[in-house]
Amino acid sequence: MATINSNYDKLPATYLFSEIAKRTAVFAKKNPGVEILKLGIGNTTEPIGHVVISGLKKGVEKLSKLSTYSGYGDEQGDSRLREALSNWYKKSKIQIDPLEIFVSDGAKADSANIQSIFDSGNKIAICDPVYPVYKDSNILAGRENIYYMSCTEKNGFFPDIPKNKVDLIYICSPNNPTGAVATKAQLKRFVDFAIKNKSIIIFDAAYFAYISNPKLPKSIYEIPGAKKCAIEINSFSKWAGFTGVRLGWTVVPMDLICQNSKRGKLNSLWNRRQTTMFNGASNIAQEGGLASLTSDGVKQCQKVVNYYMQNAKLIRITLERMGLKVYGGQNAPYIWLKVPLGMTSWDFFEKLLSEAHVVGTPGSGFGPSGEGFFRLSAFGHRQNIKKALTSIEKNLKI
Ligand code: MLT
């Protein structure tokens, strides 16, 4: 007799962004012909530059000839891409061996799957509010022991180290959803805590390219000792426009150790997990990834990142002009707005949609401390962003 994984029943009925899509569709059906402007999900919109496109095309072309065709590749990723990523870290004076890098089809899957190499009894610490994947993946794995690290106006939306011992600590910086960015000193406190307690930090750096302040760390490995206690998950989605192409990577350092593991063990466990459950990233996507890491590729990708950050600036300026309290959006593509008039986040979602026809993401969808806040995404075509802002300024009654 088959039985379901009843941990699914412990999750909200729908994933946050599916719920938003559902509510938006209901509004669209009731209001035919109304243009809905989407600043909800962080989905890229701008075309990929020609250098990276040439790389992707090269990947396709290679499949057309017997001499260059390839089928399954290494589950860990093309060795050229692992090498290129290792060299890319070197530019920031970070030494990561290619064998410590696992190429994947994106950071979302890796951030959901990484917990599988840890004991189901491990206590996890997550931020509140949080990117839902970290929490939901642990609940599905049967972990109920969750420590919430509150991120509020008071602490600048970056939490203090846990008061008690925890085993796995998830940190995302630049942060989704609040747009806050951890300083080196803040990350150092977590690294010191993790080393002391033999905890592991799972650091999501998917938005690293949005940091323009040179003092802010783009990788946890900028912090001394982090290789002993941190896994870094990263992505080509938000900096190379690969949200649909799908490509990411995870660093599991050889030096990483926890309570019952020796040097190299966690790296070999992730290798075992990936070789068992994953057949490697697309060879076409990996050629694109390689092209994006060339100096011209990096320049072209950064140009698009700067474009989104210009959107972020416009959003901030407009909302501030309206007298709203706005956070984030300075070294991050998300704007975290304080909901006016003491409304709930979902009330504001409905109000923004019905009055201005703009879709955003309710802060409470990311956790209880997100209540009273609202996330707007700077990913979007300039024309749509401007249309949305004009409509908000003209039609939103606050
Ligand atoms: C978001 O809007 O939070 C992100 O686009 C979701 C993701 O990257 O999976």
Side-chain angles (χ1 to χ4, degrees):
M1 189 172 63
T3 51
I4 60 159
N5 174 356
S6 53
N7 292 324
Y8 274 88
D9 293 334
K10 297 176 189 156
L11 300 182
T14 47
Y15 183 61
L16 175 60
F17 294 105
S18 316
E19 177 63 26
I20 290 168
K22 209 168 86 188
R23 292 195 190 208
T24 308
V26 169
F27 178 84
K29 204 167 166 199
K30 276 196 202 147
N31 299 276
V34 167
E35 187 183 10
I36 299 173
L37 301 151
K38 296 185 180 165
L39 274 65
I41 192 159
N43 198 1
T44 51
T45 55
E46 298 312 291
I48 295 174
H50 70 86
V51 173
V52 182
I53 291 293
S54 301
L56 291 164
K57 281 185 180 163
K58 186 172 152 199
V60 174
E61 282 299 320
K62 281 169 90 173
L63 296 175
S64 72
K65 292 191 202 88
L66 186 62
S67 56
T68 49
Y69 174 84
S70 62
Y72 294 128
D74 294 340
E75 293 93 340
Q76 302 84 353
D78 187 321
S79 54
R80 293 170 306 147
L81 182 55
R82 297 172 88 192
E83 190 79 44
L85 284 166
S86 166
N87 289 334
W88 177 79
Y89 276 110
K90 255 183 219 143
K91 287 188 194 133
S92 309
K93 301 192 174 61
I94 295 168
Q95 303 301 323
I96 301 286
D97 191 280
L99 293 175
E100 299 176 310
I101 298 171
F102 295 83
V103 176
S104 70
D105 60 357
K108 182 174 183 177
D110 282 2
S111 56
N113 294 327
I114 196 72
Q115 49 74 29
S116 70
I117 63 170
F118 297 97
D119 189 85
S120 58
N122 277 1
K123 180 168 185 172
I124 67 158
I126 54 169
C127 290
D128 168 25
V130 73
Y131 177 47
V133 177
Y134 315 146
K135 180 179 172 187
D136 290 2
S137 58
N138 276 286
I139 288 179
L140 291 178
R143 286 190 194 93
E144 287 177 356
N145 210 351
I146 302 178
Y147 180 96
Y148 292 96
M149 303 182 290
S150 256
C151 300
T152 60
E153 272 179 301
K154 229 171 144 188
N155 60 18
F157 302 101
F158 190 81
D160 200 2
I161 49 170
K163 291 198 170 47
N164 315 318
K165 241 177 143 168
V166 294
D167 305 308
L168 302 179
I169 306 166
Y170 288 78
I171 300 175
C172 173
S173 178
N175 189 264
N176 179 10
T178 66
V181 187
T183 62
K184 281 189 181 160
Q186 284 171 326
L187 287 188
K188 185 176 181 303
R189 275 172 70 73
F190 273 86
V191 167
D192 293 346
F193 173 91
I195 291 174
K196 187 169 152 222
N197 293 292
K198 291 213 167 103
S199 322
I200 300 284
I201 297 170
I202 297 163
F203 187 77
D204 184 345
Y207 299 95
F208 74 89
Y210 292 81
I211 297 178
S212 54
N213 179 344
K215 287 196 183 132
L216 295 170
K218 292 186 174 181
S219 164
I220 187 125
Y221 302 121
E222 289 180 42
I223 312 302
K227 275 163 78 177
K228 289 192 208 131
C229 66
I231 289 173
E232 180 160 292
I233 296 176
N234 216 321
S235 172
F236 287 83
S237 289
K238 308 289 160 76
W239 81 277
F242 276 28
T243 40
V245 178
R246 309 304 308 143
L247 195 67
W249 75 93
T250 286
V251 179
V252 187
M254 294 296 175
D255 286 345
L256 189 73
I257 45 161
C258 63
Q259 181 62 39
N260 57 350
S261 78
K262 288 204 184 76
R263 191 179 181 279
K265 177 75 178 171
L266 285 160
N267 178 286
S268 78
L269 289 186
W270 184 242
N271 188 55
R272 185 71 172 86
R273 194 267 164 209
Q274 290 301 78
T275 49
T276 307
M277 311 230 187
F278 181 59
N279 248 339
S282 145
N283 41 18
I284 301 167
Q286 293 190 79
E287 286 293 345
L290 268 167
S292 71
L293 291 167
T294 60
S295 58
D296 284 347
V298 168
K299 269 186 219 139
Q300 284 188 358
C301 292
Q302 196 59 44
K303 218 169 137 190
V304 181
V305 165
N306 296 346
Y307 175 93
Y308 293 130
M309 284 311 292
Q310 199 56 37
N311 287 346
K313 196 173 169 187
L314 286 177
I315 299 173
R316 274 189 71 105
I317 289 172
T318 309
L319 299 177
E320 279 171 353
R321 191 166 54 224
M322 291 174 69
L324 292 164
K325 190 109 185 113
V326 179
Y327 298 94
Q330 269 165 338
N331 289 280
Y334 294 121
I335 286 88
W336 192 238
L337 138 82
K338 193 164 181 177
V339 165
L341 315 170
M343 271 185 281
T344 69
S345 305
W346 276 109
D347 286 347
F348 188 72
F349 172 88
E350 298 294 347
K351 185 178 168 67
L352 191 67
L353 182 57
S354 60
E355 292 177 4
H357 309 150
V358 172
V359 177
T361 310
S364 57
F366 297 101
S369 296
E371 184 56 277
F373 287 88
F374 199 78
R375 194 192 79 174
L376 289 175
S377 159
F379 292 105
H381 195 58
R382 182 71 42 79
Q383 212 183 331
N384 286 341
I385 299 278
K386 281 190 171 163
K387 256 194 213 170
L389 294 174
T390 306
S391 175
I392 293 175
E393 221 170 357
K394 194 166 144 219
N395 302 316
L396 188 71
K397 298 180 192 77
I398 50 166

